[in-house]
């Protein structure tokens, strides 16, 4: 089906999230919408899916104008959408989730899941989805949940599939699988609108790439366009994608973690005797799929997570058992993974947020009396130093874009003398232009001699920054490898394959000149970790 | 308006206490409009229950002008009487205003206690209990001890604040240590305080010698606030002003207030920034209790000069309304306290001169809370959210889609 958007504008008050957008998605085409966060990609798709009414403009399907008053209309017209956050009910089975909203019935009010099951098997077989209709959604890995979402759209006979940032939650291997699925769907005649800001994937799979910036279409280009060009189009200026950082000159091991274990509220082991060192003037990146113990690791170091066993020492000082304030005072700079929950008080002004963990020490306070003048001057200095885009430092932090919020957190943490800098997901939800800036700041801190620990689920970021990489898998360090380790090896290690095996397999794959397919996790490793978990419970 | 800018995509990460914040700390305009609407509705209620209006309604169609003039005069006369009884009238001059200030004093103090807890993210229903304990300790020091001038009064104040701080701090401690909810705790502590006072009033230590009624001895002359001659206005009002200034400083200029507000808005971020959330919770409730305790001091050492079982009246609960109306800011609470003081002071005069029952003031007070709790309602009445309609329309379609 050919989809055409003509002159679509969407205004919120006087603000245009989309302005005069023209877009043509041909039959059986993968069309990528590329743009930074807040560029208006999602708004446009919500207009297309009937969630928003366009202020101006027309949507045409196969040349005929259509108007959608809600997702129901869009679905009926053959448009399906897979949202970034899945719209699945965890305690329902796959079949129940897929039937939901379009239940087949035998007699009034009597569900006929058999029909749905059959359809799921058909689709699953056709595309090699390998989805069991009777599995509970909550038991499925994220990648499979995403396939359930895709099946949901296909069962409703979607001819145009919108995928909103589908790879944000996937491992590198799952991402490759998804890209393969997209190609198959295309081969079967489905058009796909693929929303992303990850240049590598976009180039791998798209037929046409349309770049959107500040709500307007900037250009439509082919997949052969270089990453640098795409990034420049996206940001609107020349972006240096490669940091070209100097090689690290690591000194003594100043930060040491030994046998660190954390047991969560349910009694399960979320960190299992983790040990590593970080040297002076070195960036250690902790890689891993979300939920493999990264959060627990950083929180244990900060002191907000009780430690079951092990030690954490910074310059010979034991940090386990210290209060958060003592840890911060010991010279730890901490950028939490979720800035809106842990990094900022969004109702506080930018000024106040810039001293959120410095408010009670000189020069910001004497005794219990705060010096608001110093706070103001500090804010002005930090805002210009970190190029925080705001018209008033008295605005609440919530008024800032994600990238600028992150700059506030980074500015605050880097504004004091540090003995260790920890940043979790330092650039999550941050636009390309700011990523470059923040990465440079992190490297600058390293070059000052500070040991730096970066926790990131973005492989690109890990590979960009790391001098050494520690891969976390199910709460254990699954090997520490050099910073120049290949994407394939890291991907395998993130799926639980040991470092040696991962190197061997990747070598084999490269020598056989085959694309790396998803590797089944070696049985031995899975069993091993399962018994570990079983013991912990 | 900033909200028109952002596409209306609900943020799933936002902490869920937005409603709490918008009710307790929303814009002051809603307060002002809420009072106006409440007064208008109160006026209508006065009018329709008026006898003369009822009589004229019987021949409404024959002579509608009678009905409407009766309606108008019933409503306005009551409010004029309210004004005369609370601020100024031709025979007494500004004497009623002094009475208003007197009545406002405990409302302001207790209101500050509730407001401070609001800012620290807690709903302090316990001003009543904290006030009772504060009043009890202050009164005991006032009549049982006999000390020189100044010293005695200072000790009365200190013990009053301590009593309230103890009662509030206990709630904070239980919340911080066990995770119990402060609303349940403060409600229960109110009962404990109330019946503890009942019990004490029947003991030798508290009951006035030779008296069978539960009433304490009169406080020493040295132990009470000096009053302005010819009125009931006492120095306690100055204490309320000073406390307002103190709370304003605490919240806006001190590290303690910074911690309170940080914990109140986002305890996760506060904890990550090194704030001891448990300590902050306990301290905030203790401060809140001390302020309610100050209201108790104002009652026993200022207005009443004795301790009775009914010393708190409904002050602790009116304080919640006062804090809400004042948008949990110190000076907002101060002026809201003055307004409620004026209602209370003027209501008596209103009943005497126009026969309008005092209860109507309670209705108006309740309506004010109602309108503050439902800001969109007030805005809708004044047509303030027309601009947002389109945005919210798309929001509702989206919500429907999910």
């Amino acid at each position: 089906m050919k989809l055409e958007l003509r002159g679509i504008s969407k205004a919120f008050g006087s603000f245009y999230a989309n302005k005069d957008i023209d877009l043509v998605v041909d039959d059986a085409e993968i069309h990528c919408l590329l743009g930074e966060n807040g560029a208006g990609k999602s708004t446009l798709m919500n207009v297309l899916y009937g969630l928003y009414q366009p202020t101006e403009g027309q949507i045409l399907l196969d040349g005929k104008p259509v108007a959608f008053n809600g997702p129901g209309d869009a679905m009926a017209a053959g448009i399906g959408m897979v949202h970034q956050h899945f719209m699945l009910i965890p305690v329902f089975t796959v079949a129940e989730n897929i039937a939901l909203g379009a239940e087949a019935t035998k007699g009034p009010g009597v569900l006929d899941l058999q029909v749905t099951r059959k359809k799921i098997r058909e689709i699953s077989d056709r595309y090699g989805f390998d989805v069991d209709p009777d599995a509970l959604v909550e038991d499925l890995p994220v990648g499979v949940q995403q396939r359930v979402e895709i099946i949901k759209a296909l069962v409703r006979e979607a001819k145009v599939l919108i995928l909103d940032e589908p790879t944000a939650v996937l491992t590198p291997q799952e991402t490759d699988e998804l890209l393969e699925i997209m190609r198959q769907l295309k081969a079967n005649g489905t058009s796909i609108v693929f929303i992303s800001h990850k240049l590598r994937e976009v180039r791998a799979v798209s037929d046409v790439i349309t770049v959107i910036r500040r709500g307007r279409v900037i250009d439509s280009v082919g997949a052969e366009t270089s990453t640098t060009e795409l990034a420049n189009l996206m940001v609107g200026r020349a972006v240096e994608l490669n940091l070209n950082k100097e090689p690290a000159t690591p000194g003594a091991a100043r930060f040491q973690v030994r046998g660190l274990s954390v047991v969560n509220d349910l009694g399960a082991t979320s960190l299992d005797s983790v040990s590593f060192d970080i040297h002076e003037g070195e960036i250690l990146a902790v890689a891993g799929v979300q939920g493999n113990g990264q959060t627990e690791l950083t929180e244990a170091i900060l002191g907000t997570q009780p430690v079951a066993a092990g030690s954490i020492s910074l310059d010979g000082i034991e940090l386990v058992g210290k209060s958060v304030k003592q840890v911060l005072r010991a010279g730890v700079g901490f950028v939490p993974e979720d800035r809106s929950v842990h990094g900022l008080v969004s109702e506080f002004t930018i000024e106040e947020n810039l001293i959120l963990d410095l408010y009670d020490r000189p020069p910001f306070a004497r005794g219990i009396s705060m010096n608001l003048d110093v706070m103001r001057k500090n804010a002005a200095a930090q805002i210009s130093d970190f190029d925080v885009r705001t018209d008033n430092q008295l605005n609440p932090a919530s008024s800032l874009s994600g990238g600028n919020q992150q700059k506030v957190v980074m500015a605050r943490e880097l504004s004091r003398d540090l003995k260790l800098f920890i940043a979790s997901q330092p650039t999550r939800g941050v636009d390309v232009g700011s990523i470059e800036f923040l990465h440079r700041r992190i490297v600058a801190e390293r070059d000052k001699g500070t040991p730096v620990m970066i926790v990131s689920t973005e492989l690109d970021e890990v590979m960009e920054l790391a001098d050494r990489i520690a891969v976390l898998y199910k709460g254990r360090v699954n090997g520490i490898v050099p910073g120049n380790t290949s994407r394939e090896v890291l991907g395998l290690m993130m799926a639980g394959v040991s470092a040696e095996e991962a190197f061997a397999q990747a070598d084999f794959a490269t020598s056989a000149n085959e694309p790396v397919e998803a590797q089944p996790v070696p049985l031995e490793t899975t069993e091993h970790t399962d018994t570990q978990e079983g013991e912990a419970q | 308006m900033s909200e028109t800018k952002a596409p209306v995509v609900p943020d799933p990460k936002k902490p869920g206490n937005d409603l709490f914040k918008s009710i307790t700390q929303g814009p002051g305009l809603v307060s002002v409009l809420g009072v106006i609407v409440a007064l208008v509705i109160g006026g209508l209620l006065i009018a329709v229950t008026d006898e003369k209006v009822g009589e004229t309604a019987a021949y409404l169609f024959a002579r509608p002008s009678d009905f409407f003039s009766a309606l108008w005069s019933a409503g306005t006369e009551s409010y004029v009487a309210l004004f005369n009884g609370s601020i100024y009238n031709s025979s007494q001059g500004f004497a009623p205003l002094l009475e208003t200030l007197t009545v406002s004093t405990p409302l302001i103090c207790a209101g500050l206690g509730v407001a401070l807890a609001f800012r620290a993210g807690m709903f302090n229903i316990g001003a009543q209990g904290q006030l009772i304990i504060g009043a009890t300790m202050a009164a005991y020091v006032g009549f049982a001890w006999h000390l020189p001038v100044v010293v005695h009064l200072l000790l009365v104040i200190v013990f009053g604040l301590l009593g309230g701080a103890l009662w509030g701090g206990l709630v904070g401690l239980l919340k911080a240590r066990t995770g119990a909810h402060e609303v349940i705790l403060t409600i229960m502590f109110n009962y404990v305080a109330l019946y503890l006072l009942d019990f004490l009033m029947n003991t030798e230590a508290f009951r006035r010698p030779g008296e069978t009624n539960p009433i304490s001895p009169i406080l020493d002359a040295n132990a009470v606030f000096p009053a302005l001659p010819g009125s009931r206005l006492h120095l306690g009002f100055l204490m309320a002003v000073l406390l307002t200034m103190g709370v304003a400083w605490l919240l806006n200029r001190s590290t303690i207030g910074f911690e309170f507000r940080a914990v109140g808005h986002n305890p996760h971020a506060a904890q990550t920034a090194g704030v001891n959330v448990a300590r902050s919770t306990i301290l905030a409730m203790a401060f809140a209790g001390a302020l309610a305790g100050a209201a108790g001091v104002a009652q026993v050492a200022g207005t009443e000069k004795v301790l009775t079982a009914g010393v708190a009246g409904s002050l602790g609960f009116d304080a919640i309304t006062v804090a809400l109306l004042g948008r949990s800011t110190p000076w907002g609470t101060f002026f809201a306290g003055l307004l409620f003081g004026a209602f209370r002071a003027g209501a008596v005069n209103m009943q005497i001169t126009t026969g309008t029952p005092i209860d109507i003031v309670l209705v108006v007070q309740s309506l004010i809370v109602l309108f503050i709790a439902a800001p969109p309602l007030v805005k809708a009445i004044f047509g303030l959210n027309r601009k947002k309609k389109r945005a919210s329309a798309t929001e509702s379609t989206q919500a429907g889609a999910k």
Side-chain angles (χ1 to χ4, degrees):
Chain A
M1 187 157 50
K2 184 180 171 183
L3 167 74
E4 198 175 348
L5 302 183
R6 263 191 214 155
I8 295 282
S9 294
K10 175 65 193 169
F12 296 99
S14 59
F15 173 79
Y16 275 88
N18 291 139
K19 183 81 180 155
D20 295 331
I21 296 221
D22 294 314
L23 192 73
V24 181
V25 182
D26 264 321
D27 204 22
E29 174 183 86
I30 299 182
H31 194 122
C32 173
L33 279 187
L34 181 69
E36 298 188 289
N37 289 293
K41 296 168 299 194
S42 294
T43 309
L44 184 64
M45 288 306 107
N46 285 336
V47 168
L48 177 55
Y49 198 50
L51 287 167
Y52 292 156
Q53 300 307 313
T55 313
E56 282 162 40
Q58 254 188 332
I59 302 171
L60 293 95
L61 285 176
D62 285 333
K64 275 174 256 145
V66 287
F68 301 143
N69 283 316
D73 292 356
M75 275 188 253
I79 297 177
M81 185 159 177
V82 175
H83 295 266
Q84 193 176 352
H85 303 284
F86 303 148
M87 308 287 168
L88 296 172
I89 298 170
V91 295
F92 275 18
T93 65
V94 170
E96 284 169 335
N97 265 293
I98 287 171
L100 190 64
E103 301 88 349
T105 50
K106 41 185 178 189
V110 185
L111 272 181
D112 188 0
L113 281 177
Q114 214 49 51
V115 177
T116 316
R117 281 200 194 93
K118 213 177 118 216
K119 281 192 200 164
I120 294 171
R121 286 208 192 88
E122 269 171 32
I123 293 171
S124 189
D125 289 346
R126 194 184 328 153
Y127 298 104
F129 276 177
D130 188 23
V131 172
D132 173 11
D134 294 312
L136 283 184
V137 163
E138 61 186 352
D139 297 335
L140 299 175
V142 177
V144 180
Q145 291 191 17
Q146 190 166 53
R147 281 180 226 163
V148 174
E149 283 278 15
I150 295 174
I151 295 173
K152 209 161 96 181
L154 294 178
V155 163
R156 287 163 175 69
E157 282 158 9
K159 298 283 182 297
V160 179
L161 193 59
I162 307 170
L163 303 176
D164 189 1
E165 303 263 358
T167 58
V169 288
L170 302 182
T171 64
Q173 268 75 20
E174 284 175 330
T175 302
D176 288 341
E177 284 172 42
L178 176 70
L179 297 186
E180 191 47 46
I181 287 172
M182 286 167 69
R183 289 192 193 101
Q184 283 184 34
L185 287 169
K186 177 186 152 184
N188 275 283
T190 310
S191 310
I192 295 176
V193 182
F194 176 44
I195 303 180
S196 184
H197 62 262
K198 295 188 186 170
L199 304 173
R200 193 180 66 90
E201 304 157 1
V202 166
R203 293 185 64 228
V205 77
S206 305
D207 297 312
V208 183
I209 302 168
T210 296
V211 182
I212 294 189
R213 186 167 80 227
R214 295 194 183 165
R216 289 167 193 269
V217 170
I218 299 302
D219 206 352
S220 275
V221 293
E224 71 287 348
T225 316
S226 76
T227 24
T228 318
E229 259 175 88
L230 286 174
N232 292 353
L233 283 172
M234 215 162 120
V235 182
R237 61 180 169 81
V239 182
E240 196 64 59
L241 276 180
N242 289 315
L243 268 180
N244 295 324
K245 64 180 164 69
E246 299 287 315
T249 47
R254 284 176 50 190
F255 180 65
Q256 296 177 310
V257 174
R258 287 286 172 272
L260 186 69
S261 293
V262 168
V263 176
N264 71 13
D265 298 339
L266 303 170
T269 306
S270 38
L271 268 193
D272 190 358
S273 23
V274 165
S275 302
F276 60 87
D277 288 342
I278 306 180
H279 296 256
E280 187 169 318
E282 171 195 61
I283 297 177
L284 177 81
V286 176
V289 179
Q290 182 110 43
N292 275 285
Q294 296 97 322
T295 312
E296 288 80 4
L297 175 61
T298 51
E299 288 185 350
I301 297 170
L302 185 68
T304 52
Q305 175 86 43
V307 169
S311 84
I312 302 169
S313 71
L314 177 62
D315 289 338
I317 304 163
E318 180 61 43
L319 295 185
V320 172
K322 291 247 180 4
S323 74
V324 177
K325 184 153 278 178
Q326 285 167 323
V327 171
L328 294 174
R329 292 270 167 103
V332 177
F334 186 85
V335 176
E337 68 177 45
D338 191 335
R339 61 180 163 267
S340 59
V341 175
H342 291 104
L344 295 165
V345 177
S346 39
E347 295 86 349
F348 270 23
T349 62
I350 297 166
E351 288 179 352
E352 288 173 320
N353 272 298
L354 278 165
I355 59 162
L356 199 62
D357 53 8
L358 305 162
Y359 65 96
D360 60 345
R361 57 173 109 175
F364 301 110
R366 187 187 297 150
I368 65 159
S369 169
M370 289 175 71
N371 191 334
L372 302 187
D373 215 36
V374 178
M375 173 177 86
R376 262 167 221 139
K377 283 185 186 136
N378 170 68
Q382 301 287 354
I383 285 171
S384 78
D385 187 19
F386 271 77
D387 189 26
V388 178
R389 305 280 168 84
T390 178
D391 51 1
N392 192 339
Q393 63 193 55
L394 291 173
N395 287 343
S398 56
S399 70
L400 297 175
S401 70
N404 282 307
Q405 289 185 356
Q406 192 70 1
K407 282 180 179 175
V408 168
V409 177
M410 288 275 237
R412 177 180 76 215
E413 297 305 310
L414 291 173
S415 67
R416 55 202 152 98
D417 282 332
L418 296 180
K419 295 206 169 90
L420 172 70
F421 180 62
I422 300 174
S424 238
Q425 310 296 355
T427 57
R428 176 181 283 175
V430 169
D431 48 275
V432 173
S434 302
I435 289 177
E436 178 200 358
F437 180 87
L438 294 172
H439 279 177
R440 282 187 195 289
R441 286 296 176 140
I442 292 169
V443 173
E445 189 64 28
R446 177 199 76 168
D447 292 342
K448 272 165 59 184
T450 312
V452 176
M453 176 173 140
I454 300 296
V455 178
S456 180
T457 50
E458 299 270 345
L459 215 41
D460 288 325
E461 179 162 70
V462 167
M463 298 176 65
E464 187 83 33
L465 289 172
D467 298 315
R468 286 191 304 145
I469 301 168
V471 180
L472 272 187
Y473 177 71
K474 295 203 171 173
R476 302 180 130 232
V477 173
N478 191 21
I480 299 180
V481 292
N484 58 7
T485 307
S486 73
R487 181 180 293 276
E488 287 71 28
V489 171
L490 289 173
L492 288 168
M493 288 176 69
M494 283 162 74
V497 180
S498 73
E500 298 81 37
E501 273 184 60
F503 275 112
Q505 283 189 25
D507 273 352
F508 175 74
T510 341
S511 60
N513 203 14
E514 275 173 4
V516 178
E517 295 282 326
Q519 297 291 343
V521 176
L523 205 57
E524 203 184 327
T525 323
T526 338
E527 267 183 2
H528 178 66
T529 36
D530 282 346
T531 37
Q532 286 292 334
E533 269 194 345
E535 272 167 21
Q537 282 158 0
Chain B
M1 275 174 118
S2 59
E3 57 259 59
T4 53
K5 262 193 168 182
V8 274
V9 180
D11 182 1
K13 281 176 193 159
K14 247 185 185 169
N17 54 353
D18 281 3
L19 183 67
F20 174 80
K21 269 177 222 155
S22 70
I23 291 173
T24 57
Q25 288 152 46
L29 181 66
V30 174
S31 287
V32 175
L33 296 180
V35 170
I36 292 171
V37 178
L39 282 174
V40 170
I41 296 180
L44 285 173
L45 280 176
I46 294 169
V48 297
T49 52
D50 187 81
E51 277 178 28
K52 192 146 178 256
V53 174
E55 285 166 20
T56 53
Y59 55 93
L60 170 64
F61 295 105
R63 251 191 318 172
S65 61
D66 270 17
F67 171 77
F68 285 108
S69 73
L71 198 69
W72 174 251
S73 61
T76 48
E77 275 169 17
S78 294
Y79 282 137
V80 168
L82 193 66
F83 178 82
N84 286 340
S86 61
I87 296 175
Y88 174 84
N89 63 47
S90 48
S91 58
Q92 294 168 285
F94 279 103
L97 181 63
L98 300 181
E99 179 62 16
T100 292
L101 298 185
T102 314
V103 179
S104 305
T105 304
L107 281 172
I108 293 169
C109 295
L112 287 172
V114 179
L116 186 75
F118 273 147
R119 294 294 286 274
M122 284 177 287
F123 206 151
N124 178 16
I125 309 284
Q128 187 81 353
Q130 294 145 14
L131 189 154
I132 288 173
I133 299 298
T136 307
M137 283 181 56
Y140 186 80
V141 172
F143 64 72
W145 299 0
H146 306 287
L147 297 163
V149 70
V150 181
V151 179
H152 201 175
L153 177 61
L154 280 180
L155 273 180
V156 166
I157 296 173
V158 166
F159 273 81
L161 296 183
L162 273 181
L166 177 81
W167 217 240
L170 267 175
V171 170
L173 185 73
L174 285 171
K175 182 182 167 70
R177 290 277 173 267
T178 69
H181 199 280
E182 77 275 4
V183 168
I184 313 286
L185 289 173
T186 47
I187 291 173
M188 292 306 138
F189 269 59
N190 282 348
Y191 284 116
V192 176
L194 182 65
Y195 293 110
L196 185 66
L197 177 62
D198 266 359
F199 164 76
L200 288 175
M201 291 315 297
N202 287 308
T203 59
E204 290 278 313
F206 277 82
R207 195 166 53 208
R208 192 184 298 180
E211 185 69 58
T212 49
N213 293 324
I215 186 165
S216 79
I218 298 172
L219 271 71
D220 279 18
N222 285 346
V224 297
F225 287 114
L228 197 69
S231 80
R232 296 208 300 163
L233 183 65
H234 52 83
L235 265 187
F237 182 72
L238 182 67
M239 175 180 76
V241 175
L242 291 176
L243 285 175
T244 309
M245 290 163 67
V247 172
W249 183 86
L250 187 82
L251 279 175
N252 301 321
R253 303 293 306 258
S254 79
T255 57
I256 298 172
F258 191 88
E259 290 184 2
F260 285 179
R261 288 186 293 127
V263 172
H265 284 304
N266 185 347
H268 305 288
Q271 190 195 20
T272 306
V275 174
N276 185 333
V277 175
R279 195 189 66 181
S280 190
T281 303
I282 298 167
L283 208 57
M285 279 309 293
F287 274 55
L291 289 162
V297 174
Q299 280 295 85
V300 294
T303 326
E304 312 264 321
K305 299 187 178 62
V306 292
L307 180 68
T308 61
V311 66
S314 64
L315 278 171
F317 301 110
D318 292 345
I320 299 169
T321 321
V322 166
L324 283 173
L325 182 60
R327 290 288 153 202
S328 303
T329 65
W331 288 104
T333 306
F334 181 83
F335 289 110
L338 286 183
L339 179 72
F340 273 45
F343 279 154
R344 286 182 158 218
V348 183
N349 186 54
M350 181 176 76
Q351 179 159 30
I352 294 167
T353 49
T354 65
T356 309
I358 287 182
D359 300 334
I360 206 78
V361 167
L362 295 177
V363 173
V364 172
Q365 286 182 8
S366 309
L367 285 170
I368 290 173
V369 179
L370 185 80
F371 286 121
I372 293 169
L377 186 60
V378 176
K379 287 182 183 160
I381 291 172
F382 286 89
L384 289 178
N385 47 358
R386 234 168 253 151
K387 263 188 256 168
K388 278 173 64 185
K389 250 179 199 157
R390 288 184 85 162
S392 61
T394 49
E395 187 168 26
S396 61
T397 53
Q398 185 174 22
K402 290 178 180 175

